[in-house]
Amino acid sequence: MIFSTHLLTFLLVIVITAEVNHCETVNNDPGKKENDVEDIKNHVTYKEGDGSTCKNELYNVLYNETNAQVAALNAFGIPNTGLLAGNTGWYGHFSGCTELPDFQYCMLTMNVNTATLSMTELHQLLIRWGICAPKICSDNGINDNVEMLTTYLRSSTGVNLTGVSSTAYCVQNNKVPYSTGFYITVGVFGLICILMIIGSIIDIIDDDDDDNEVKDPHGTETEESLPLMTSAFDKDEETEAIQEINKQSVKGRVAATIKQILLSFAFNRNLSKLTVVGSDGNRDIGCLHGIRVISMMWIAMFHVCLTTDSKLSYLDIFNPHDGLRMLRSAFYQIIVFNGSLPVDTFLFLSGLLICYATLFKLEKNNGSLSWPWLFLHRYIRLTPMLVVAMAIWVFVAPHTYWGPMMGTLMDRSRCESYWWTNLLYIQNFFQFSSHCFGVAWYLSVDMQLFLVSPFIIYSLYRSQRLGLLLTAVLVSASVIVNGIIVAEYHFRASTIVNLILFGGDYLDIIYSKPYIRMQAYLVGMVVGFILYKAKDKEIILPKPVAVIGWLVATSLGTLVLCTIAPSLGTVVAVTFQALHRIAWGVFLAWVVLYCQLVKSGWINNFLSWHAWVPLSRLSYTVYLIHLIVFRTFIGNLGQPFYTTTLVLIFNYVAVTCVSFMFAAFLYLSVELPVANLEQKFLPRP
């Protein structure tokens, strides 16, 4: 998750004051306008190699009234209604500009220096200005002529901008050119669709009941611990499909293998696996389904309602004053602003599941387990869907954008240099500004913690005291390191405040590092160990103990959710940042332990509701693609976003529903077929 460092949405009052100080009434004296024009003429030169041709053409657009140039100038953005209320997104007329044969639409992002103003708390003001420039102008050419453009803005509207630094993105073609990667991605999906159809036909006409007994990978995975997927247990039996293959001759084995490959893609068979509900066995932890889905929807809400990228945010809203009122509401302060907590929830679930499942595996195999196979299994389960999501993001998503923001959204230059960090799961040790596929940072953290988990699990299996001691030492080390870093860099108590004030520094130093995030993961492992020790036991919890447990857990959860004030002292900031992930983990631990061991109450019934199960199976894919869906929505907006509570709700629901529908297709076409193939053909120790 990448977060904007701009402060306009949160500091609206300051923005209004800055805008008032930067707006001047237009001087109606004709001599004044002539002086502005003459000033621009003095800047127009014809030296070769300095972008003078672009400068000359821009001047002609601004001040020569030919039909084409008037049409281009008509597509320029102008300060809109609500300027003094912070409406600084001047998009202009995108389609009107792109339809002109010799012109291109450019989005000019201007950072206006406000250091000379009396309100110096806001160091820069962000304005996005859409202009219709000649095609001869490059992005750099537009940037080189910002002074000419701002002079024209002053003479025509009275808005005087000084100390401007800018970045321009231009859309030079009416259609984004298709790349080789696009054709390969579409071709692969076309082949997969063919395999899904053929597999379905074979499954329908095949009357062999044995083929219909292939196990559901999501209902039988022993080592599956990714919290964004469903998990259960492997009976460690060779599938009847593989037994059938082994009985055939060489020629028959080839035919049977091809048949099993095609059946792995069968749409009807995989659809039944997606939609089946109910318990996966006596050891299924039913409440995790609800926790998983709610956490995923919480993350989507955070991204949709606040901000998504340093180049893209709801900063460009038509009515930021109304947005500020929403930001001050209790719902935003408590729920939306804490959208980073679901990440810790997923890490908690991951630690819980890997420890819980692996301890049973060790028990069954008398303490032996092939750890290399476990790592290979996990890599195979995670990586194909990640690669597909990255391919969609890099090669396909740019073709879904058509609007003023498309130039800023289409930048994929970071992927050319850093794509490999995603596949090696080391992305989080590189700066966020270099990330190719931002949301994958969580997978890197999860994989790194997974790699060290065997040492803890094996210690817990051999010696309960040694394992718990090792866990306590690691948690303590994480707390100390976290506290030292917060004190050294003067970070605040609240995560959202740190993201606003420190941006990339906080993301790089604390937010994405495994030695910081490991606290919730380790708490989850302890819960997994407790559930393993309590297996097949019916526990009756005395009512006073249950009441005290809920009071303590709820108090910790409420404390974590409600600590948002940016003015808290250094001691409070250090203490909270160092301990709040443990507190959140303890809250989750109580919920899971109560639901799984007591198995009663409305909370358990709600979280274990069977309707959560299909959605929880989609959560991993939804996590990977929900921002792609959201950016497609933003990339087709023609004007700054007009926000109200209901509009945001409809927007969030629409993005979430489309994400789940898209995820269902990817699950049936990629994630589940890969799981089927891995289960059928990867040798198990």
Side-chain angles (χ1 to χ4, degrees):
M1 289 174 284
I2 306 177
F3 302 89
S4 171
T5 60
H6 304 299
L7 304 179
L8 180 59
T9 303
F10 304 93
L11 301 173
L12 179 63
V13 176
I14 302 175
V15 173
I16 295 174
T17 304
E19 279 297 304
V20 171
N21 280 278
H22 264 77
C23 292
E24 297 179 352
T25 303
V26 178
N27 189 338
N28 293 321
D29 183 359
K32 170 63 178 175
K33 186 170 183 178
E34 290 176 2
N35 291 336
D36 288 335
V37 175
E38 188 64 30
D39 183 58
I40 293 176
K41 286 182 177 180
N42 293 334
H43 285 86
V44 178
T45 60
Y46 299 93
K47 297 178 182 179
E48 295 294 333
D50 67 350
S52 59
T53 304
C54 172
K55 184 178 294 186
N56 185 46
E57 292 297 326
L58 267 178
Y59 174 82
N60 290 334
V61 170
L62 297 176
Y63 293 101
N64 290 340
E65 298 181 354
T66 65
N67 290 336
Q69 289 158 347
V70 168
L73 192 59
N74 186 57
F76 270 53
I78 60 175
N80 293 322
T81 302
L83 172 63
L84 299 183
N87 180 11
T88 57
W90 312 335
Y91 287 3
H93 198 263
F94 177 82
S95 59
C97 179
T98 55
E99 290 173 358
L100 298 175
D102 297 324
F103 294 88
Q104 61 183 342
Y105 181 89
C106 298
M107 177 60 76
L108 188 62
T109 302
M110 300 183 295
N111 288 293
V112 182
N113 189 350
T114 63
T116 59
L117 299 179
S118 58
M119 299 297 292
T120 56
E121 292 88 346
L122 182 64
H123 300 295
Q124 290 200 338
L125 174 67
L126 181 73
I127 296 176
R128 289 194 177 99
W129 185 17
I131 65 173
C132 192
K135 282 190 175 180
I136 196 172
C137 294
S138 64
D139 294 356
N140 291 332
I142 299 297
N143 289 327
D144 292 340
N145 290 282
V146 168
E147 185 177 353
M148 179 195 297
L149 292 167
T150 55
T151 301
Y152 169 78
L153 183 68
R154 183 184 69 235
S155 65
S156 61
T157 67
V159 177
N160 183 22
L161 303 179
T162 59
V164 176
S165 61
S166 63
T167 303
Y169 292 91
C170 296
V171 181
Q172 296 184 347
N173 300 301
N174 287 340
K175 292 185 178 179
V176 180
Y178 296 109
S179 64
T180 302
F182 173 84
Y183 288 113
I184 293 175
T185 303
V186 173
V188 169
F189 271 106
L191 176 61
I192 289 175
C193 290
I194 293 174
L195 294 176
M196 293 170 68
I197 294 173
I198 296 176
S200 299
I201 294 174
I202 293 175
D203 188 51
I204 291 173
I205 64 177
D206 190 355
D207 293 328
D208 188 350
D209 292 336
D210 291 339
D211 287 337
N212 293 326
E213 297 298 325
V214 178
K215 295 185 293 183
D216 177 358
H218 288 297
T220 57
E221 284 298 328
T222 305
E223 297 81 7
E224 186 57 73
S225 62
L226 180 67
L228 300 173
M229 296 179 179
T230 52
S231 307
F233 291 87
D234 182 15
K235 298 178 181 178
D236 203 27
E237 298 174 354
E238 193 172 17
T239 64
E240 295 184 14
I242 300 301
Q243 292 176 352
E244 176 187 344
I245 293 176
N246 293 335
K247 294 177 182 178
Q248 303 290 331
S249 61
V250 175
K251 185 176 180 179
R253 287 183 181 180
V254 173
T257 299
I258 294 175
K259 176 183 176 182
Q260 291 303 319
I261 292 174
L262 292 173
L263 287 175
S264 296
F265 287 88
F267 174 80
N268 58 332
R269 179 177 289 198
N270 289 337
L271 182 61
S272 66
K273 295 176 181 179
L274 170 62
T275 56
V276 66
V277 297
S279 175
D280 292 323
N282 293 332
R283 295 169 184 163
D284 175 51
I285 309 175
C287 63
L288 300 190
H289 298 302
I291 295 175
R292 186 180 294 113
V293 176
I294 293 171
S295 297
M296 183 60 252
M297 296 176 72
W298 193 352
I299 289 177
M301 179 186 298
F302 177 74
H303 286 147
V304 171
C305 292
L306 282 183
T307 179
T308 60
D309 193 274
S310 58
K311 298 175 183 175
L312 168 65
S313 72
Y314 274 169
L315 180 65
D316 290 334
I317 59 178
F318 187 86
N319 56 330
H321 184 68
D322 297 330
L324 182 60
R325 283 202 299 266
M326 288 193 295
L327 292 176
R328 290 172 173 169
S329 67
F331 176 77
Y332 264 81
Q333 296 280 332
I334 296 175
I335 303 300
V336 178
F337 283 0
N338 284 297
S340 64
L341 287 178
V343 177
D344 293 303
T345 302
F346 284 140
L347 290 172
F348 168 86
L349 298 179
S350 184
L352 186 159
L353 292 169
I354 184 60
C355 184
Y356 185 50
T358 307
L359 285 172
F360 279 103
K361 190 73 172 179
L362 287 170
E363 180 183 26
K364 183 175 183 179
N365 295 333
N366 297 320
S368 64
L369 188 62
S370 176
W371 298 106
W373 179 89
L374 190 64
F375 298 144
L376 176 63
H377 161 78
R378 186 172 184 81
Y379 188 86
I380 292 175
R381 291 301 304 277
L382 291 183
T383 309
M385 192 61 247
L386 174 61
V387 171
V388 168
M390 289 177 61
I392 295 172
W393 164 244
V394 175
F395 301 121
V396 179
H399 298 279
T400 65
Y401 307 146
W402 191 244
M405 293 298 297
M406 65 179 295
T408 61
L409 291 171
M410 289 172 56
D411 182 18
R412 300 293 188 272
S413 58
R414 292 175 290 185
C415 293
E416 297 177 1
S417 302
Y418 295 99
W419 60 269
W420 55 274
T421 62
N422 296 86
L423 303 186
L424 295 180
Y425 296 97
I426 56 175
Q427 171 184 352
N428 58 320
F429 282 102
F430 291 77
Q431 290 185 341
F432 259 75
S433 58
S434 67
H435 288 187
C436 168
F437 191 54
V439 296
W441 74 267
Y442 161 77
L443 299 181
S444 298
V445 173
D446 190 85
M447 178 65 80
Q448 291 154 15
L449 294 175
F450 175 81
L451 292 176
V452 301
S453 64
F455 300 101
I456 302 174
I457 296 172
Y458 201 73
S459 298
L460 288 170
Y461 179 76
R462 289 299 183 186
S463 172
Q464 173 178 325
R465 183 174 301 176
L466 175 62
L468 293 177
L469 177 62
L470 177 59
T471 303
V473 170
L474 292 174
V475 170
S476 300
S478 177
V479 169
I480 294 172
V481 171
N482 199 336
I484 292 174
I485 293 176
V486 171
E488 177 69 20
Y489 290 90
H490 306 288
F491 291 135
R492 305 296 193 267
S494 169
T495 297
I496 188 65
V497 173
N498 285 321
L499 292 171
I500 295 170
L501 297 180
F502 301 99
D505 290 339
Y506 182 74
L507 292 170
D508 294 332
I509 297 171
I510 281 189
Y511 193 81
S512 61
K513 293 301 181 282
Y515 45 81
I516 301 297
R517 291 287 188 171
M518 70 189 302
Q519 297 173 15
Y521 191 90
L522 293 173
V523 174
M525 294 188 72
V526 172
V527 174
F529 176 72
I530 294 174
L531 292 177
Y532 165 74
K533 298 296 288 186
K535 58 181 181 295
D536 302 325
K537 294 180 181 178
E538 183 177 352
I539 297 179
I540 300 177
L541 199 63
K543 188 173 182 179
V545 175
V547 171
I548 294 174
W550 279 112
L551 286 175
V552 173
T554 304
S555 299
L556 290 174
T558 303
L559 177 65
V560 173
L561 289 172
C562 294
T563 304
I564 188 70
S567 59
L568 298 176
T570 301
V571 175
V572 175
V574 170
T575 303
F576 183 82
Q577 277 288 322
L579 297 175
H580 81 278
R581 293 184 177 89
I582 298 178
W584 185 251
V586 171
F587 165 72
L588 295 171
W590 174 258
V591 173
V592 173
L593 289 173
Y594 185 88
C595 291
Q596 182 65 10
L597 299 180
V598 180
K599 295 185 182 296
S600 64
W602 67 268
I603 294 179
N604 177 63
N605 294 336
F606 174 71
L607 294 177
S608 302
W609 185 30
H610 289 168
W612 294 123
V613 177
L615 297 177
S616 68
R617 292 176 179 141
L618 300 175
S619 54
Y620 173 50
T621 308
V622 171
Y623 176 78
L624 291 177
I625 58 95
H626 76 281
L627 281 183
I628 299 177
V629 174
F630 181 48
R631 286 172 176 147
T632 298
F633 167 75
I634 295 295
N636 287 274
L637 285 178
Q639 293 295 331
F641 189 80
Y642 189 91
T643 182
T644 67
T645 300
L646 284 178
V647 169
L648 275 180
I649 291 174
F650 288 137
N651 185 23
Y652 164 66
V653 172
V655 170
T656 304
C657 290
V658 172
S659 297
F660 271 98
M661 289 188 291
F662 188 22
F665 169 74
L666 294 177
Y667 178 88
L668 295 172
S669 61
V670 178
E671 185 179 335
L672 193 49
V674 169
N676 291 333
L677 293 171
E678 187 255 355
Q679 186 185 47
K680 292 176 181 177
F681 299 108
L682 182 66
R684 293 175 180 267

